[in-house]
Amino acid sequence: MTTAKRWTSRLLAIALPALLLAAPARAIVTAGTPTALHSDTDGDAEADRQAVSREIERFRGSSISISQAMALAESRHAGATTADVSFDGASGVPAVYRVKTLHNDRIWRHTINAATGEFVGGEAALPLAELDRDDRSNLAALGAIRHRLADAVRVAEQAASGKAISGGLVRERGRLNFAIVVISGDDLKEVILEPPGARTK
């Protein structure tokens, strides 16, 4: 999730003191339609709502969870960590997870069938040196903190009482956060978690 839309309706700010040892320190849950789930309909609210509903339905029909997709992608390279994951349920093609992992100064891109867990196509690698400065800085911070995206997904699912459909890194006001989108009932919620030690400029 490289872009994150701010929503005006803040539902809940939760401190998760019981999870401080195992997970990021703060969870802020907001409601709305994440940018990653918007269709390309130039602002047509009804078309957006229908596209999001279709995406959610396809996600609910998937056998593989986002956590399983991340674990599968990370298993391709020992020591890899997930930097970004999203569900893609575009109609007309099999639903997949798109997972980017960080390993040995490269970003690896994987596509995983959401029904079977099988890898679709080959994996692609991009050297970190080819990324812009901000992306390199974010990924360097990801490698320096002890928390992983998988930890953030687990906490977000608990905080929002649902199942994660996407997650990644966002930087706001100099702080690197995990941003997780969770389906809770019929609602989409974004959970922002600030990992300890991620306050970089």
Side-chain angles (χ1 to χ4, degrees):
M1 186 170 21
T2 56
T3 59
K5 183 178 178 186
R6 285 200 181 116
W7 301 304
T8 57
S9 171
R10 294 257 176 201
L11 286 185
L12 188 59
I14 310 171
L16 298 170
L19 298 173
L20 284 178
L21 295 177
R26 288 189 298 161
I28 299 174
V29 183
T30 58
T33 302
T35 302
L37 295 181
H38 276 292
S39 64
D40 296 325
T41 55
D42 296 327
D44 184 339
E46 180 59 22
D48 278 352
R49 189 189 63 72
Q50 290 176 2
V52 169
S53 292
R54 283 191 302 271
E55 188 96 353
I56 289 172
E57 267 318 296
R58 292 204 73 193
F59 175 76
R60 286 187 172 140
S62 299
S63 302
I64 304 298
S65 71
I66 202 167
S67 295
Q68 290 169 314
M70 287 189 293
L72 286 166
E74 290 174 1
S75 73
R76 295 293 278 239
H77 304 279
T81 186
T82 300
D84 187 85
V85 60
S86 61
F87 177 81
D88 184 352
S91 51
V93 296
V96 296
Y97 288 102
R98 302 196 185 280
V99 187
K100 294 177 186 172
T101 59
L102 175 63
H103 183 257
N104 283 349
D105 294 327
R106 284 181 163 64
I107 287 290
W108 297 85
R109 297 178 189 199
H110 312 275
T111 303
I112 298 170
N113 186 302
T116 65
E118 295 174 348
F119 286 86
V120 178
E123 61 186 1
L126 179 67
L128 291 183
E130 294 183 20
L131 300 176
D132 68 30
R133 187 176 58 90
D134 289 341
D135 286 340
R136 284 195 313 271
S137 173
N138 289 350
L139 292 169
L142 177 65
I145 58 178
R146 67 183 177 108
H147 298 292
R148 298 167 64 93
L149 186 58
D151 298 323
V153 164
R154 187 177 62 254
V155 172
E157 288 178 336
Q158 284 185 303
S161 301
K163 292 291 181 189
I165 189 169
S166 69
L169 297 168
V170 294
R171 186 177 293 274
E172 292 181 5
R173 295 185 297 273
R175 294 180 180 173
L176 184 66
N177 297 315
F178 291 119
I180 313 297
V181 177
V182 176
I183 297 174
S184 178
D186 292 329
D187 297 324
L188 292 172
K189 297 179 180 177
E190 181 180 58
V191 181
I192 302 294
L193 299 121
E194 181 182 320
R199 293 184 188 198
T200 58
K201 51 183 176 172

